[in-house]
Amino acid sequence: WLAQTGMYLMMMVIQKLSVAPLVLLPFWTSFRKLVFGPLQGHEKLEVIIVMLIIPFFVNVFMFWVQDNILMKKPKREDSPNFESGLNLLQAEEVELREVLTPYRI
């Protein structure tokens, strides 16, 4: 639990440090005019979009990405996959049937 929390916090710091320089890029001025141009005169709607709607979707996306990274289990080459495990169980069942067959009445 503590390791996952530490990893999550580290990922959040990396995310914030990587997003901060992107916000300072000059193309955001023209993008802001394109998105909020139709909303001029509706300051409350702009605030709702900027403070609630956009952060909600960005946070959902970032949580999904981080959760997939944190919960991903490394694939081990030496461990059998499901199908080979199933084949092994079926083979053992056949052997067990062959051993028990003579004892049936």
Side-chain angles (χ1 to χ4, degrees):
W1 176 83
L2 189 60
Q4 279 186 337
T5 303
M7 193 107 140
Y8 176 78
L9 291 174
M10 183 177 65
M11 290 171 68
M12 288 300 293
V13 168
I14 291 170
Q15 179 221 349
K16 298 299 180 188
L17 290 174
S18 61
V19 168
L22 293 175
V23 173
L24 300 175
L25 293 175
F27 81 90
W28 287 110
T29 304
S30 57
F31 180 75
R32 185 172 51 238
K33 287 179 184 175
L34 175 73
V35 172
F36 292 111
L39 299 175
Q40 282 186 344
H42 303 286
E43 290 82 16
K44 290 183 181 182
L45 186 57
E46 286 182 26
V47 170
I48 289 171
I49 290 172
V50 170
M51 299 299 288
L52 294 175
I53 296 172
I54 293 174
F56 174 77
F57 287 107
V58 170
N59 286 333
V60 166
F61 175 73
M62 289 308 300
F63 179 78
W64 176 75
V65 168
Q66 291 168 356
D67 186 55
N68 283 332
I69 292 170
L70 287 174
M71 300 306 283
K72 185 175 183 178
K73 296 187 185 212
K75 199 172 193 180
R76 293 179 37 189
E77 293 298 323
D78 60 343
S79 67
N81 60 18
F82 177 75
E83 288 180 8
S84 65
L86 184 60
N87 291 338
L88 181 63
L89 285 174
Q90 288 171 344
E92 287 181 14
E93 181 182 343
V94 169
E95 288 177 16
L96 185 60
R97 245 189 264 140
E98 290 171 358
V99 170
L100 294 178
T101 301
Y103 298 105
R104 289 190 181 176
I105 301 176

